[in-house]
Coordinates of all heavy atoms in Angstrom, one line a residue:
K11 N 46.1 38.2 42.8 CA 46.0 39.5 43.3 C 47.2 40.3 42.9 O 48.4 39.9 43.0 CB 46.0 39.4 44.9 CG 46.1 40.7 45.6 CD 46.2 40.4 47.2 CE 46.5 41.8 47.8 NZ 46.8 41.6 49.2
A12 N 46.9 41.4 42.3 CA 48.0 42.2 41.8 C 48.5 43.1 42.9 O 47.8 43.6 43.6 CB 47.6 43.2 40.6
V13 N 49.9 43.2 43.0 CA 50.6 44.0 43.9 C 51.6 45.0 43.2 O 52.1 44.5 42.2 CB 51.2 43.3 45.1 CG1 50.1 42.5 45.9 CG2 52.3 42.3 44.6
Y14 N 51.8 46.1 43.7 CA 53.0 46.9 43.1 C 54.3 46.5 43.8 O 54.4 46.5 45.0 CB 52.7 48.4 43.4 CG 51.3 48.8 42.9 CD1 50.3 49.2 43.8 CD2 51.1 48.9 41.6 CE1 49.0 49.6 43.2 CE2 49.9 49.2 41.0 CZ 48.9 49.6 42.0 OH 47.6 50.0 41.5
S15 N 55.2 46.0 42.8 CA 56.6 45.6 43.4 C 57.3 46.7 44.1 O 58.1 46.4 44.9 CB 57.4 45.1 42.2 OG 57.7 46.2 41.3
C16 N 56.9 47.9 44.0 CA 57.6 49.1 44.7 C 57.0 49.2 46.1 O 57.5 49.9 46.9 CB 57.6 50.4 43.9 SG 55.9 50.8 43.5
L17 N 55.8 48.6 46.3 CA 55.2 48.8 47.6 C 55.1 47.5 48.4 O 54.4 47.6 49.4 CB 53.8 49.3 47.3 CG 53.6 50.8 46.7 CD1 52.2 51.0 46.5 CD2 54.3 51.7 47.6
I18 N 55.8 46.6 48.2 CA 55.8 45.3 49.0 C 57.2 44.8 49.2 O 58.1 44.8 48.3 CB 54.9 44.2 48.2 CG1 54.6 43.0 49.1 CG2 55.6 43.7 47.0 CD1 53.5 42.1 48.7
L19 N 57.5 44.3 50.3 CA 58.8 43.8 50.8 C 58.9 42.3 50.3 O 57.9 41.8 50.3 CB 59.1 43.9 52.2 CG 58.9 45.3 52.9 CD1 59.1 45.2 54.4 CD2 60.0 46.2 52.4
A20 N 60.0 42.1 49.8 CA 60.3 40.7 49.4 C 59.9 39.6 50.5 O 59.3 38.6 50.2 CB 61.8 40.4 49.1
V21 N 60.2 40.0 51.8 CA 59.8 39.1 52.9 C 58.3 38.9 53.0 O 57.8 37.8 53.4 CB 60.4 39.6 54.2 CG1 59.7 40.8 54.7 CG2 60.3 38.5 55.3
E22 N 57.5 39.8 52.5 CA 56.0 39.6 52.5 C 55.5 38.7 51.5 O 54.5 38.2 51.5 CB 55.5 41.0 52.3 CG 55.6 42.0 53.3 CD 54.9 43.4 53.0 OE1 53.7 43.5 53.1 OE2 55.7 44.2 52.6
C23 N 56.5 38.3 50.6 CA 56.2 37.4 49.5 C 56.5 36.0 49.9 O 56.1 35.0 49.2 CB 57.0 37.8 48.2 SG 56.5 39.5 47.6
D24 N 57.2 35.8 51.0 CA 57.6 34.5 51.4 C 56.3 33.5 51.5 O 55.3 33.8 52.2 CB 58.2 34.6 52.8 CG 58.9 33.3 53.3 OD1 59.3 32.5 52.3 OD2 59.0 33.0 54.4
G25 N 56.4 32.3 50.9 CA 55.4 31.3 50.8 C 54.3 31.7 49.9 O 53.3 30.8 49.8
H26 N 54.5 32.7 49.1 CA 53.5 33.0 48.1 C 53.9 32.7 46.7 O 55.1 32.8 46.4 CB 53.0 34.5 48.1 CG 52.3 34.9 49.4 ND1 50.9 34.7 49.6 CD2 52.8 35.3 50.5 CE1 50.7 35.1 50.8 NE2 51.7 35.6 51.4
E27 N 53.0 32.4 45.7 CA 53.5 32.1 44.4 C 53.4 33.5 43.7 O 52.6 34.4 44.0 CB 52.4 31.3 43.7 CG 52.8 31.0 42.2 CD 51.8 30.0 41.5 OE1 51.1 29.2 42.3 OE2 51.6 30.1 40.4
I28 N 54.4 33.8 43.0 CA 54.7 35.1 42.3 C 54.6 34.9 40.7 O 55.3 34.0 40.2 CB 55.9 35.8 42.7 CG1 55.9 36.0 44.2 CG2 56.2 37.0 41.9 CD1 57.2 36.4 44.9
L29 N 53.7 35.6 40.1 CA 53.7 35.6 38.7 C 54.0 36.9 38.1 O 53.4 38.0 38.6 CB 52.3 35.2 38.2 CG 52.1 35.3 36.7 CD1 53.0 34.2 35.9 CD2 50.6 35.1 36.3
T30 N 55.0 37.1 37.3 CA 55.4 38.4 36.7 C 55.2 38.3 35.2 O 54.8 37.1 34.7 CB 56.9 38.7 37.0 OG1 57.7 37.6 36.3 CG2 57.3 38.6 38.4
I31 N 55.4 39.4 34.5 CA 55.2 39.5 33.2 C 56.0 38.4 32.4 O 55.6 37.8 31.4 CB 55.4 40.9 32.5 CG1 55.0 41.0 31.1 CG2 57.0 41.2 32.6 CD1 53.5 41.1 31.0
E32 N 57.2 38.1 33.0 CA 58.1 37.2 32.3 C 57.4 35.8 32.3 O 57.9 34.9 31.4 CB 59.4 37.1 33.0 CG 60.4 38.4 32.7 CD 59.9 39.5 33.6 OE1 59.1 39.4 34.5 OE2 60.4 40.6 33.3
G33 N 56.6 35.5 33.2 CA 56.0 34.1 33.4 C 54.6 34.0 32.8 O 54.1 33.0 32.8
L34 N 54.2 35.1 32.1 CA 52.9 35.1 31.5 C 52.7 34.2 30.3 O 51.6 33.6 30.0 CB 52.4 36.5 31.3 CG 50.9 36.8 31.4 CD1 50.3 36.3 32.6 CD2 50.7 38.3 31.2
S35 N 53.7 34.3 29.4 CA 53.6 33.6 28.1 C 54.0 32.2 28.3 O 54.6 31.8 29.3 CB 54.6 34.2 27.1 OG 56.0 34.0 27.5
D36 N 53.5 31.3 27.4 CA 53.8 30.0 27.4 C 54.8 29.7 26.2 O 54.5 29.4 25.1 CB 52.5 29.1 27.2 CG 52.8 27.6 27.2 OD1 53.9 27.1 27.7 OD2 51.8 26.9 26.8
G37 N 56.1 29.8 26.6 CA 57.0 29.8 25.6 C 56.9 30.9 24.6 O 56.9 32.0 25.0
D38 N 56.8 30.5 23.3 CA 56.6 31.6 22.3 C 55.2 32.1 22.2 O 54.8 33.0 21.5 CB 57.1 31.0 20.9 CG 58.6 31.0 20.9 OD1 59.3 31.5 21.6 OD2 59.1 30.3 20.0
K39 N 54.3 31.3 22.9 CA 52.8 31.7 22.7 C 52.5 32.7 23.8 O 52.7 32.5 25.1 CB 52.0 30.4 23.0 CG 50.5 30.6 22.7 CD 49.8 29.2 23.0 CE 48.3 29.5 22.8 NZ 47.5 28.4 23.4
L40 N 52.1 33.9 23.2 CA 51.8 34.9 24.3 C 50.5 34.8 24.8 O 49.6 34.1 24.3 CB 51.7 36.3 23.5 CG 52.9 36.8 22.8 CD1 52.8 38.0 22.0 CD2 54.1 36.9 23.9
D41 N 50.3 35.3 26.1 CA 49.1 35.3 26.9 C 48.0 36.2 25.9 O 48.5 37.2 25.2 CB 49.2 35.9 28.2 CG 48.0 36.1 29.0 OD1 47.2 36.9 28.9 OD2 47.7 34.9 29.7
P42 N 46.8 35.9 25.9 CA 45.9 36.8 25.2 C 45.9 38.2 25.5 O 45.8 39.1 24.6 CB 44.5 36.3 25.6 CG 44.8 34.8 26.0 CD 46.2 34.8 26.6
I43 N 46.2 38.5 26.6 CA 46.4 40.0 27.1 C 47.6 40.7 26.4 O 47.6 41.7 25.8 CB 46.6 40.3 28.5 CG1 45.3 39.7 29.3 CG2 46.6 41.7 29.0 CD1 45.5 39.6 30.7
Q44 N 48.7 39.9 26.3 CA 49.9 40.4 25.7 C 49.6 40.4 24.1 O 50.0 41.6 23.5 CB 51.1 39.4 25.8 CG 51.6 39.3 27.3 CD 52.5 38.2 27.5 OE1 52.3 37.2 27.2 NE2 53.8 38.5 28.0
Q45 N 49.0 39.5 23.6 CA 48.6 39.5 22.1 C 47.7 40.8 21.9 O 47.9 41.5 20.8 CB 48.0 38.3 21.7 CG 47.8 38.1 20.3 CD 49.1 38.0 19.5 OE1 50.1 37.5 19.9 NE2 49.3 38.8 18.5
A46 N 46.7 41.0 22.7 CA 45.8 42.1 22.6 C 46.5 43.4 22.6 O 46.2 44.4 21.8 CB 44.7 42.1 23.6
F47 N 47.4 43.6 23.5 CA 48.3 44.8 23.5 C 49.0 45.1 22.2 O 49.1 46.3 21.7 CB 49.3 44.9 24.7 CG 48.7 45.4 25.9 CD1 47.7 44.9 26.7 CD2 49.2 46.6 26.4 CE1 47.2 45.6 27.7 CE2 48.9 47.2 27.6 CZ 47.7 46.7 28.3
I48 N 49.4 44.2 21.6 CA 50.2 44.2 20.3 C 49.2 44.6 19.3 O 49.4 45.5 18.5 CB 50.9 42.9 19.8 CG1 52.1 42.6 20.9 CG2 51.4 42.9 18.4 CD1 52.7 41.3 20.7
E49 N 48.1 43.7 19.1 CA 47.0 44.1 18.1 C 46.3 45.4 18.2 O 46.0 45.9 17.3 CB 46.1 42.9 18.3 CG 46.6 41.6 17.8 CD 45.6 40.3 18.0 OE1 44.4 40.6 18.1 OE2 46.1 39.3 17.8
K50 N 46.1 45.8 19.4 CA 45.5 47.2 19.7 C 46.5 48.3 19.8 O 46.2 49.4 20.1 CB 44.6 47.2 20.9 CG 43.4 46.1 20.7 CD 42.6 46.6 19.5 CE 41.3 45.7 19.3 NZ 40.5 46.1 18.3
D51 N 47.9 48.0 19.6 CA 48.9 49.0 19.7 C 48.6 49.9 20.9 O 48.6 51.1 20.9 CB 48.8 49.9 18.5 CG 50.0 50.8 18.2 OD1 51.1 50.4 18.7 OD2 50.0 51.7 17.5
A52 N 48.7 49.1 22.1 CA 48.3 49.8 23.4 C 49.4 50.3 24.2 O 49.4 50.4 25.4 CB 47.5 48.8 24.3
F53 N 50.6 50.6 23.5 CA 51.6 51.2 24.3 C 52.4 52.1 23.3 O 52.4 52.1 22.2 CB 52.6 50.1 24.8 CG 53.0 49.0 23.8 CD1 54.1 49.1 23.0 CD2 52.2 47.9 23.8 CE1 54.4 48.2 22.2 CE2 52.6 46.8 22.9 CZ 53.6 47.0 22.1
Q54 N 53.2 53.0 24.0 CA 54.0 53.9 23.2 C 55.5 53.6 23.6 O 56.3 52.8 23.1 CB 53.7 55.3 23.5 CG 52.5 55.7 22.8 CD 52.0 57.2 23.0 OE1 53.0 58.0 22.9 NE2 50.7 57.4 23.1
C55 N 55.9 54.0 24.9 CA 57.4 53.8 25.3 C 57.4 52.3 25.9 O 58.4 51.7 26.0 CB 57.8 54.8 26.4 SG 57.2 54.6 28.0
G56 N 56.4 51.7 26.5 CA 56.3 50.5 27.1 C 56.7 50.4 28.6 O 56.6 49.3 29.1
F57 N 56.9 51.6 29.1 CA 57.4 51.5 30.5 C 56.4 51.0 31.4 O 56.7 50.2 32.3 CB 57.8 53.0 30.9 CG 58.5 52.9 32.3 CD1 59.8 52.6 32.5 CD2 57.8 53.4 33.4 CE1 60.5 52.7 33.7 CE2 58.3 53.4 34.7 CZ 59.6 53.1 34.8
C58 N 55.1 51.4 31.2 CA 54.1 50.9 32.1 C 53.4 49.6 31.7 O 52.5 49.0 32.4 CB 52.9 52.0 32.2 SG 52.0 52.1 30.7
T59 N 53.7 49.1 30.6 CA 53.0 48.0 30.0 C 53.0 46.7 30.8 O 52.0 46.1 31.0 CB 53.6 47.7 28.6 OG1 53.7 48.9 27.8 CG2 52.8 46.7 27.9
S60 N 54.1 46.4 31.4 CA 54.1 45.1 32.3 C 53.2 45.3 33.3 O 52.3 44.3 33.6 CB 55.4 44.9 32.8 OG 56.4 44.7 31.8
G61 N 53.1 46.4 34.0 CA 52.2 46.6 35.2 C 50.6 46.6 34.7 O 49.8 46.1 35.3
Q62 N 50.5 47.2 33.6 CA 49.1 47.3 33.0 C 48.6 45.9 32.7 O 47.5 45.5 33.0 CB 49.0 48.2 31.7 CG 49.6 49.5 31.9 CD 48.8 50.6 32.5 OE1 47.7 50.1 33.2 NE2 49.0 51.9 32.6
I63 N 49.4 45.2 32.0 CA 49.1 43.7 31.7 C 48.7 43.0 32.9 O 47.9 42.2 33.0 CB 50.1 43.1 30.7 CG1 50.1 43.8 29.4 CG2 49.9 41.6 30.6 CD1 51.2 43.4 28.4
M64 N 49.6 43.0 33.9 CA 49.5 42.2 35.2 C 48.3 42.6 35.9 O 47.6 41.8 36.5 CB 50.7 42.2 36.0 CG 51.9 41.6 35.2 SD 51.7 40.0 34.5 CE 51.5 39.0 36.0
S65 N 47.9 43.9 35.9 CA 46.7 44.3 36.5 C 45.4 43.8 35.9 O 44.5 43.5 36.5 CB 46.7 45.9 36.6 OG 47.7 46.3 37.4
I66 N 45.5 43.8 34.5 CA 44.4 43.2 33.8 C 44.2 41.7 34.1 O 43.2 41.2 34.1 CB 44.6 43.6 32.2 CG1 44.4 45.2 32.1 CG2 43.5 42.8 31.4 CD1 45.0 45.6 30.8
K67 N 45.5 41.1 34.1 CA 45.5 39.7 34.3 C 44.7 39.3 35.6 O 43.9 38.5 35.8 CB 46.8 39.1 34.3 CG 47.0 37.6 34.6 CD 46.6 36.8 33.4 CE 46.8 35.3 33.7 NZ 46.3 34.5 32.6
A68 N 45.1 40.1 36.6 CA 44.5 39.9 38.0 C 43.0 40.2 37.9 O 42.3 39.4 38.5 CB 45.2 40.9 38.9
L69 N 42.6 41.2 37.2 CA 41.2 41.6 37.0 C 40.4 40.3 36.4 O 39.3 39.7 36.8 CB 41.1 42.8 36.2 CG 39.5 43.1 35.8 CD1 38.7 43.3 37.0 CD2 39.5 44.1 34.7
L70 N 41.0 39.8 35.3 CA 40.4 38.6 34.7 C 40.5 37.3 35.4 O 39.7 36.4 35.0 CB 41.0 38.5 33.2 CG 40.9 39.7 32.3 CD1 41.4 39.4 30.9 CD2 39.4 40.1 32.0
E71 N 41.2 37.3 36.3 CA 41.2 36.1 37.3 C 40.0 36.2 38.2 O 39.5 35.2 38.7 CB 42.4 36.0 38.1 CG 43.7 35.7 37.3 CD 43.8 34.3 36.9 OE1 43.3 33.4 37.6 OE2 44.3 34.0 35.8
K72 N 39.5 37.4 38.4 CA 38.4 37.7 39.3 C 37.0 37.5 38.6 O 36.0 37.2 39.2 CB 38.5 39.0 40.1 CG 39.6 39.0 41.1 CD 39.5 40.2 42.0 CE 40.3 41.4 41.4 NZ 40.3 42.5 42.2
T73 N 37.0 38.3 37.4 CA 35.8 38.2 36.6 C 36.0 37.9 35.1 O 37.1 38.4 34.6 CB 35.1 39.6 36.8 OG1 33.9 39.6 36.0 CG2 36.1 40.7 36.4
T74 N 35.2 37.3 34.5 CA 35.4 36.9 33.0 C 34.8 38.0 32.2 O 35.2 38.0 31.0 CB 34.8 35.5 32.7 OG1 33.4 35.6 33.1 CG2 35.6 34.4 33.5
Q75 N 34.0 38.7 32.6 CA 33.3 39.8 31.8 C 33.3 41.2 32.4 O 32.3 41.7 32.8 CB 31.8 39.4 31.6 CG 31.6 38.2 30.6 CD 32.2 38.3 29.2 OE1 31.9 39.4 28.6 NE2 32.9 37.4 28.7
P76 N 34.6 41.7 32.6 CA 34.6 43.0 33.2 C 34.1 44.2 32.4 O 34.1 44.1 31.2 CB 36.1 43.3 33.4 CG 36.6 42.4 32.3 CD 35.9 41.3 32.2
S77 N 33.5 45.0 33.1 CA 33.0 46.3 32.4 C 34.1 47.2 32.0 O 35.2 47.0 32.5 CB 31.8 47.0 33.2 OG 32.6 47.5 34.3
S78 N 33.9 48.1 31.2 CA 34.9 49.2 30.9 C 35.4 49.9 32.2 O 36.4 50.2 32.4 CB 34.3 50.2 29.9 OG 35.3 50.7 29.1
E79 N 34.4 50.2 33.1 CA 34.7 50.9 34.3 C 35.6 49.9 35.2 O 36.5 50.4 35.8 CB 33.5 51.1 35.1 CG 33.7 52.0 36.4 CD 32.5 52.4 37.1 OE1 31.4 52.1 36.6 OE2 32.6 52.8 38.2
D80 N 35.2 48.6 35.2 CA 36.0 47.6 36.0 C 37.6 47.7 35.5 O 38.5 47.6 36.3 CB 35.6 46.2 35.8 CG 34.3 46.0 36.4 OD1 33.8 46.7 37.4 OD2 33.5 45.0 35.9
I81 N 37.7 47.8 34.1 CA 39.0 47.8 33.5 C 39.7 49.0 34.0 O 40.8 49.0 34.4 CB 39.0 47.6 32.1 CG1 38.5 46.3 31.7 CG2 40.3 47.9 31.5 CD1 38.0 46.1 30.2
R82 N 39.0 50.2 33.9 CA 39.6 51.5 34.3 C 40.1 51.4 35.8 O 41.1 51.9 36.1 CB 38.7 52.5 33.9 CG 38.5 52.8 32.5 CD 37.4 53.8 32.1 NE 36.9 53.7 30.8 CZ 37.6 54.1 29.8 NH1 38.6 54.9 29.9 NH2 37.0 54.0 28.6
I83 N 39.2 50.9 36.5 CA 39.6 50.8 38.1 C 40.8 49.9 38.2 O 41.7 50.2 38.9 CB 38.4 50.3 38.8 CG1 37.3 51.4 38.9 CG2 38.7 49.9 40.3 CD1 35.9 50.9 39.5
A84 N 40.8 48.8 37.4 CA 41.8 47.9 37.7 C 43.3 48.5 37.3 O 44.3 48.2 37.9 CB 41.7 46.6 36.9
I85 N 43.3 49.4 36.4 CA 44.5 49.8 35.9 C 44.8 51.3 36.6 O 45.9 51.9 36.2 CB 44.7 50.0 34.4 CG1 43.6 50.9 33.8 CG2 44.5 48.6 33.8 CD1 43.8 51.3 32.3
S86 N 43.9 51.7 37.4 CA 44.0 53.0 37.8 C 45.3 53.4 38.6 O 45.8 54.5 38.8 CB 42.7 53.4 38.7 OG 42.7 52.6 39.8
G87 N 45.9 52.4 39.2 CA 47.2 52.6 40.0 C 48.4 52.6 39.2 O 49.5 52.9 39.6
N88 N 48.2 52.3 37.9 CA 49.4 52.3 37.0 C 49.4 53.5 36.1 O 48.6 53.6 35.2 CB 49.4 51.0 36.0 CG 49.3 49.7 36.8 OD1 50.3 49.6 37.7 ND2 48.5 48.8 36.7
L89 N 50.3 54.4 36.4 CA 50.4 55.5 35.5 C 51.1 55.4 34.3 O 52.1 54.8 34.2 CB 51.1 56.7 36.4 CG 50.5 57.1 37.7 CD1 51.3 58.2 38.4 CD2 49.1 57.5 37.5
C90 N 50.4 55.9 33.3 CA 51.0 55.8 31.8 C 51.3 57.2 31.5 O 50.5 58.0 31.2 CB 50.0 55.2 30.9 SG 50.7 55.1 29.2
R91 N 52.6 57.5 31.5 CA 53.0 59.0 31.2 C 52.8 59.2 29.7 O 52.7 60.4 29.4 CB 54.5 59.1 31.6 CG 54.9 58.7 32.9 CD 54.6 59.9 33.8 NE 55.2 61.0 33.4 CZ 55.8 61.9 34.2 NH1 55.9 61.6 35.6 NH2 56.2 63.1 33.8
C92 N 52.6 58.3 28.9 CA 52.4 58.5 27.5 C 51.0 58.7 27.1 O 50.6 59.1 26.1 CB 52.9 57.3 26.6 SG 54.6 57.0 26.8
G93 N 50.1 58.4 28.1 CA 48.7 58.6 27.9 C 48.1 57.6 26.9 O 47.2 58.0 26.2
A94 N 48.5 56.4 27.0 CA 48.0 55.3 26.1 C 46.7 54.7 26.7 O 46.4 53.6 26.2 CB 49.1 54.3 25.9
Y95 N 46.1 55.2 27.5 CA 45.0 54.7 28.2 C 43.8 54.2 27.3 O 43.3 53.1 27.5 CB 44.4 55.6 29.3 CG 45.2 55.8 30.4 CD1 45.8 57.1 30.6 CD2 45.5 54.9 31.3 CE1 46.7 57.3 31.6 CE2 46.4 55.1 32.4 CZ 46.9 56.3 32.5 OH 47.8 56.5 33.7
P96 N 43.4 54.9 26.2 CA 42.5 54.5 25.3 C 42.9 53.1 24.6 O 41.9 52.1 24.6 CB 42.3 55.6 24.3 CG 42.6 56.8 25.0 CD 43.9 56.3 25.8
G97 N 44.1 53.0 24.3 CA 44.5 51.7 23.7 C 44.6 50.6 24.7 O 44.4 49.4 24.4
I98 N 45.0 51.0 26.0 CA 45.2 49.9 27.0 C 43.7 49.4 27.4 O 43.6 48.2 27.4 CB 45.8 50.6 28.3 CG1 47.2 50.9 28.0 CG2 45.7 49.7 29.4 CD1 47.8 51.8 29.0
V99 N 42.7 50.2 27.5 CA 41.3 49.8 27.7 C 40.8 49.0 26.6 O 40.3 47.9 26.6 CB 40.5 50.9 28.1 CG1 39.0 50.5 28.2 CG2 40.8 51.6 29.3
A100 N 41.2 49.3 25.2 CA 40.7 48.6 24.2 C 41.4 47.3 24.0 O 40.8 46.2 23.8 CB 41.0 49.5 22.8
A101 N 42.7 47.3 24.5 CA 43.4 46.0 24.5 C 42.7 45.0 25.6 O 42.7 43.8 25.4 CB 44.8 46.1 24.8
A102 N 42.4 45.5 26.7 CA 41.7 44.7 27.9 C 40.5 44.2 27.3 O 40.2 42.9 27.5 CB 41.7 45.6 29.1
E103 N 39.7 45.0 26.7 CA 38.4 44.4 26.2 C 38.5 43.4 25.1 O 37.9 42.5 24.9 CB 37.5 45.7 25.6 CG 37.1 46.6 26.7 CD 36.5 47.9 26.2 OE1 36.8 48.4 25.1 OE2 35.8 48.5 27.0
H104 N 39.7 43.6 24.2 CA 40.0 42.6 23.1 C 40.4 41.4 23.8 O 40.0 40.3 23.4 CB 41.0 43.3 22.2 CG 41.3 42.4 21.0 ND1 40.4 41.9 20.2 CD2 42.5 42.0 20.6 CE1 41.1 41.3 19.3 NE2 42.3 41.2 19.4
A105 N 41.2 41.5 24.8 CA 41.7 40.2 25.6 C 40.4 39.5 26.2 O 40.4 38.2 26.1 CB 42.6 40.6 26.7
V106 N 39.4 40.2 26.7 CA 38.2 39.5 27.1 C 37.6 38.7 26.1 O 37.2 37.5 26.3 CB 37.3 40.5 27.8 CG1 36.0 39.9 28.1 CG2 37.8 41.2 29.0
N107 N 37.5 39.3 24.8 CA 37.0 38.6 23.7 C 37.7 37.4 23.4 O 37.2 36.4 23.1 CB 36.8 39.6 22.5 CG 35.8 40.6 22.8 OD1 34.9 40.5 23.5 ND2 35.8 41.8 22.1
I108 N 38.9 37.5 23.4 CA 39.9 36.3 23.0 C 39.6 35.2 24.1 O 39.5 34.0 23.7 CB 41.3 36.7 23.1 CG1 41.6 37.7 21.8 CG2 42.3 35.5 22.8 CD1 43.0 38.3 21.9
Y109 N 39.6 35.6 25.3 CA 39.4 34.6 26.4 C 38.0 33.9 26.2 O 37.8 32.7 26.4 CB 39.5 35.2 27.8 CG 40.9 35.3 28.4 CD1 41.4 36.5 28.8 CD2 41.7 34.2 28.5 CE1 42.7 36.7 29.3 CE2 43.0 34.3 29.2 CZ 43.4 35.6 29.4 OH 44.7 35.7 30.0
T110 N 37.1 34.8 26.0 CA 35.6 34.2 25.8 C 35.5 33.3 24.7 O 35.0 32.2 24.8 CB 34.7 35.3 25.6 OG1 34.7 36.3 26.6 CG2 33.3 34.9 25.4
K111 N 36.3 33.6 23.5 CA 36.3 32.7 22.2 C 37.0 31.4 22.7 O 36.5 30.3 22.2 CB 36.9 33.3 21.1 CG 36.0 34.4 20.4 CD 36.8 35.0 19.2 CE 36.0 36.2 18.7 NZ 36.7 36.9 17.8
R112 N 38.0 31.4 23.4 CA 38.8 30.2 23.8 C 38.0 29.3 24.7 O 38.1 28.1 24.6 CB 40.1 30.6 24.6 CG 41.1 31.0 23.6 CD 42.4 31.1 24.3 NE 43.5 31.7 23.4 CZ 44.8 31.9 23.8 NH1 45.0 31.7 25.2 NH2 45.6 32.4 22.9
R113 N 37.2 30.0 25.5 CA 36.2 29.1 26.4 C 35.2 28.4 25.8 O 34.7 27.4 26.2 CB 35.7 30.0 27.6 CG 36.7 30.1 28.8 CD 36.0 30.7 30.0 NE 37.0 31.9 30.3 CZ 36.8 33.2 30.0 NH1 35.5 33.5 29.5 NH2 37.6 34.1 30.4
S114 N 34.6 29.1 24.6 CA 33.4 28.5 24.0 C 33.7 27.4 23.0 O 34.9 27.0 22.7 CB 32.6 29.5 23.3 OG 33.3 30.4 22.3
Ligands
FES30 FE1 54.7 54.9 28.0 FE2 52.7 53.9 29.3 S1 53.3 53.6 27.3 S2 54.3 55.1 30.2

């Protein structure tokens, strides 16, 4: 479940496992979503990127084949001041393809 760090108290996290962008990669091996963001050039300044990636990660934990609309809804709470949304959605769709190939 993705939550906004600015809207949750630390005490509310007590007893829960927390995954942040820093814990997403496996050493030097990036998560497919991180790799997809690089390959699709899905950011400009990068300020929103961590939140976008974690929102997409939470979405892909719930469904393996999200629609474009599912992706847009999942990232809807993360504002990108640079307007990189087309690249972000393309990266999410690319990440879905990477995950699908890994599973088959
Ligand atoms: Fe700059 Fe999203 S890439 S705010």
Side-chain angles (χ1 to χ4, degrees):
K11 177 183 172 188
V13 297
Y14 302 111
S15 60
C16 58
L17 295 178
I18 192 163
L19 298 173
V21 70
E22 295 176 78
C23 301
D24 189 30
H26 295 273
E27 183 177 336
I28 299 170
L29 176 64
T30 65
I31 191 76
E32 288 80 10
L34 204 53
S35 63
D36 182 13
D38 290 341
K39 186 177 177 193
L40 296 177
D41 183 273
I43 303 169
Q44 294 171 304
Q45 191 62 44
F47 265 66
I48 293 169
E49 291 175 11
K50 294 296 179 182
D51 199 20
F53 47 86
Q54 290 182 37
C55 76
F57 187 80
C58 72
T59 306
S60 298
Q62 307 286 9
I63 289 174
M64 297 311 290
S65 292
I66 294 165
K67 179 72 175 174
L69 172 66
L70 296 182
E71 293 287 326
K72 287 192 275 186
T73 179
T74 56
Q75 293 296 320
S77 67
S78 207
E79 184 178 354
D80 293 334
I81 293 166
R82 291 172 199 277
I83 290 170
I85 64 171
S86 63
N88 297 310
L89 300 180
C90 177
R91 305 280 307 220
C92 299
Y95 295 111
I98 293 167
V99 173
E103 292 170 340
H104 186 50
V106 169
N107 292 333
I108 295 171
Y109 276 122
T110 302
K111 283 181 188 168
R112 283 189 181 181
R113 274 190 233 106
S114 58

